Amino acid sequence: MLRDILHPQLVRCKLDSRSQKKALEDIAQAVNLHTPSIPALPLFKQLVAREQLGSTALGGGVAIPHCRSSTIESITGCLVSLNQGIGFEAPDDQSVDILFALLVPESETSAHLDILAELAEIFSNEANLAQIRNAKDDMALFSCFEQLSNNTAAVQ
């Protein structure tokens, strides 16, 4: 299912976002460039509002910022790796350098939970995280994540 929601244009490798808000802004802008029907500023505000409810950081340097919205027509993912970790109020107090933003239509409750479970499985494996962190550019990061999601789907 992950391979259906992540497009190469929604992958950013080694961004220089130096704060949580800047990373969320970069994600919103990337999504808007790919899908102009999703305006960047409202999306950014929704992602920030979700973080204010509680951090979406999992630990291990990973966060899955997400939101549900009526402006989102289909489940969309945006994968970002950062040059350096940023504060994200992670449960392990570790800086976050891998983010997978998940944007979901309001009606997609069960699919939302299924995708979060797939992401958690990928991101709970240290070898997977090392592969993601070692990607050198957007296409390498996309290919790496596509392979990891295919491996996860094959196990399920």
Side-chain angles (χ1 to χ4, degrees):
M1 186 178 276
L2 283 175
R3 60 187 169 270
D4 300 328
I5 66 166
L6 183 65
H7 302 280
Q9 300 87 356
L10 290 171
V11 175
R12 299 289 187 272
C13 185
K14 307 293 183 195
L15 285 185
D16 280 322
S17 305
R18 297 189 186 262
S19 71
Q20 180 185 41
K21 283 192 175 181
K22 179 62 173 142
L24 297 176
E25 180 181 31
D26 291 342
I27 287 167
Q29 289 173 348
V31 170
N32 176 253
L33 282 174
H34 179 261
T35 311
S37 63
I38 303 174
L41 184 58
L43 177 58
F44 167 70
K45 288 179 178 180
Q46 288 174 305
L47 291 168
V48 169
R50 172 56 189 87
E51 290 302 322
Q52 290 173 343
L53 294 175
S55 177
T56 58
L58 303 178
V62 177
I64 306 177
H66 54 279
C67 67
R68 295 163 59 119
S69 171
S70 60
T71 62
I72 299 167
E73 295 178 10
S74 61
I75 299 173
T76 303
C78 181
L79 176 64
V80 172
S81 68
L82 302 175
N83 273 328
Q84 64 183 32
I86 57 175
F88 228 86
E89 298 181 27
D92 62 359
D93 293 324
Q94 190 172 335
S95 296
V96 165
D97 64 344
I98 298 171
L99 299 98
F100 190 102
L102 185 59
L103 316 171
V104 183
E106 288 178 344
S107 61
E108 295 282 354
T109 304
S110 65
H112 182 187
L113 297 175
D114 292 343
I115 292 168
L116 285 173
E118 282 185 66
L119 289 169
E121 185 173 337
I122 289 170
F123 292 137
S124 66
N125 181 306
E126 285 296 324
N128 292 350
L129 295 178
Q131 288 181 49
I132 292 167
R133 288 182 174 114
N134 287 331
K136 301 292 184 215
D137 58 39
D138 294 354
M139 202 58 220
L141 181 56
F142 175 77
S143 297
C144 169
F145 195 81
E146 187 174 48
Q147 181 180 0
L148 294 173
S149 63
N150 286 339
N151 293 346
T152 300
V155 171
Q156 294 178 347

